[in-house]
Amino acid sequence: MSLDLRWLSAPEAEVAAAMAGIRRDSRPGWVPTKRQVLVHVNHCLLLWYLCIAFMTIGIRVDGMQDGTASPSDFRDLGIAVAILAVWLCGTFWLYRWAAKPPSPRARIAQWRQTLTALANGLHPQPSSVATFPSLISHARRGVREYPRFVAPNLEFGNLTQQASRATHWHYLALRLPAPLPHLILDSTANNGAVSDLPGTVARNQRLSLEGDFDRWFHLYTPAEYERDALYLFTPDVMAAFIDDAAGYNVEIIDDTLVFFTSPAADFTTAQPWESVYAIVTGVAPRVARRALYYRDERAPHSAGHHASASARTGGQTVMEASDESWMHQQPAIGPDGRRLQIRNRHTSPVWSALGAVGWFLTLTLLYAVPGLFAFAGLMSIIDGW
């Protein structure tokens, strides 16, 4: 099945008419708009203005005039209050403006990606928590997925980690017919001086593959699972990764195959749709076929496994279970192969605590500190009245 991208370039009137028939709100309420962010910036600046104005006059009254306010102090205070009144009027207007629906241009852009998803058998389903396991979604409650497009055994979109820096990712997550050892492919195409992975993988877990695959990806596999990785990365699988997913980091964790890269994608353009489609039709079926027949002899009851699945390619569905179901007894992967050794500062209790303290100090600096100093300055002026 071919990829349908006609809504990305359709006339605006046609897009609006199509959305009117669907009656779907494409943006969740918990996703802040640029206008709402501007409101918060305005509140912060307003507090700092009051802090500077009142503290300047208060210090002059207390420190230079023995606690007695002069006529010039009242004049400056009147000017400051007049500016504050004008600013508050502007804040009220800004608040009302931010509460309005998005601009027609922004709405059309959102509708285009929604209609494109529906045309390809996908459903827009934003999520305020992580919906799949991976390096980029370890803190489930600190993750936002928007936009997010979902089909059976497949989802993709943009993901934001709210509690860390460099937090915006474009991702694709697919469900495999059976679990595999924990593997990571670090794409060299999106690395700078260092890797862009959100965690540090122990170097002794790196495995070199044949050909020029190492020029495109650095493969990490658990100790003693090197042969298992070679089973998965056959020449045709490696070629598919190079051809269709060279710009993505890849993680295989349990029965989930995750592709991710930074920055976030613009789904009002064709490029991310085409990239996802290439992976879904080129890379994913090959990995699924290898996963289907993989057995980890280190796992208890591994001989009792039986699997079968179909790997249909197309815009609507990537992998669906066939009439023959996949059955296994846990664990399907041996203990040593379930997780790589990864040092991720965001999952460390110490770093989590430091992050919480840092966030508290930031809010204190932006709001509490100027508010308290503005109040102290005002009290100094009142005392000198």
Side-chain angles (χ1 to χ4, degrees):
M1 182 177 293
S2 61
L3 186 62
D4 187 350
L5 299 178
R6 69 183 186 277
W7 290 110
L8 296 180
S9 57
E12 292 185 2
E14 187 177 344
V15 172
M19 283 301 296
I22 295 173
R23 299 184 182 276
R24 180 193 296 263
D25 186 3
S26 59
R27 188 184 187 93
W30 46 261
V31 177
T33 64
K34 293 180 180 179
R35 297 177 182 179
Q36 292 169 336
V37 173
L38 187 59
V39 169
H40 286 286
V41 173
N42 173 77
H43 291 167
C44 180
L45 293 177
L46 179 58
L47 281 174
W48 276 101
Y49 162 73
L50 293 175
C51 172
I52 294 172
F54 289 168
M55 283 299 296
T56 300
I57 301 174
I59 290 173
R60 190 167 63 199
V61 170
D62 277 348
M64 303 174 63
Q65 300 170 185
D66 296 327
T68 303
S70 66
S72 62
D73 296 324
F74 291 114
R75 180 201 62 201
D76 294 343
L77 179 61
I79 294 174
V81 170
I83 294 175
L84 174 62
V86 174
W87 198 327
L88 289 176
C89 291
T91 299
F92 177 73
W93 174 86
L94 180 63
Y95 183 81
R96 293 188 60 182
W97 176 66
K100 292 181 178 180
S103 66
R105 181 178 180 181
R107 269 201 314 270
I108 290 294
Q110 294 171 17
W111 291 349
R112 288 189 187 278
Q113 64 184 22
T114 297
L115 291 170
T116 301
L118 295 174
N120 290 282
L122 301 156
H123 297 280
Q125 294 181 9
S127 176
S128 58
V129 296
T131 55
F132 60 93
S134 76
L135 279 173
I136 62 173
S137 60
H138 53 81
R140 187 172 185 269
R141 292 294 177 183
V143 170
R144 299 291 184 267
E145 296 172 358
Y146 174 79
R148 173 175 174 258
F149 307 106
V150 179
N153 300 317
L154 159 72
E155 67 171 80
F156 64 92
N158 291 333
L159 181 147
T160 301
Q161 294 171 304
Q162 295 186 325
S164 60
R165 61 182 181 85
T167 57
H168 302 286
W169 301 93
H170 162 44
Y171 78 94
L172 165 64
L174 307 104
R175 181 78 179 270
L176 295 172
L180 289 169
H182 193 194
L183 303 172
I184 289 179
L185 288 175
D186 181 12
S187 171
T188 60
N190 50 31
N191 287 344
V194 295
S195 170
D196 69 336
L197 291 177
T200 302
V201 188
R203 291 182 177 273
N204 61 358
Q205 299 173 112
R206 183 175 169 185
L207 175 64
S208 179
L209 297 180
E210 63 183 16
D212 61 350
F213 190 75
D214 288 352
R215 291 176 48 200
W216 299 92
F217 294 97
H218 294 162
L219 171 62
Y220 296 91
T221 182
E224 300 184 2
Y225 275 79
E226 292 81 1
R227 290 177 61 87
D228 303 68
L230 295 176
Y231 162 81
L232 175 62
F233 288 96
T234 56
D236 68 305
V237 173
M238 290 190 290
F241 272 102
I242 293 174
D243 292 342
D244 299 325
Y248 290 83
N249 301 310
V250 185
E251 182 177 12
I252 300 176
I253 178 167
D254 301 326
D255 61 350
T256 303
L257 173 62
V258 183
F259 299 80
F260 60 95
T261 187
S262 184
D266 180 6
F267 286 97
T268 64
T269 63
Q271 190 274 329
W273 296 95
E274 292 170 346
S275 297
V276 168
Y277 184 76
I279 293 173
V280 166
T281 58
V283 182
R286 289 176 169 83
V287 176
R289 280 193 291 270
R290 303 303 293 175
L292 186 61
Y293 299 105
Y294 172 76
R295 300 293 180 273
D296 185 358
E297 301 299 332
R298 308 164 188 80
H301 313 296
S302 62
H305 290 220
H306 176 68
S308 179
S310 61
R312 286 171 44 184
T313 60
Q316 293 186 3
T317 306
V318 184
M319 291 173 285
E320 294 180 344
S322 66
D323 294 336
E324 205 174 0
S325 62
W326 170 52
M327 298 173 296
H328 68 280
Q329 298 180 18
Q330 293 291 346
I333 302 297
D336 295 336
R338 294 178 201 166
R339 294 295 181 267
L340 285 160
Q341 298 177 20
I342 302 174
R343 187 174 69 254
N344 191 330
R345 63 185 181 90
H346 302 301
T347 59
S348 166
V350 175
W351 281 106
S352 297
L354 290 176
V357 172
W359 180 243
F360 174 77
L361 292 177
T362 299
L363 293 179
T364 301
L365 178 64
L366 291 178
Y367 292 97
V369 169
L372 290 174
F373 276 95
F375 179 76
L378 181 60
M379 289 297 99
S380 296
I381 298 172
I382 293 175
D383 290 342
W385 202 299

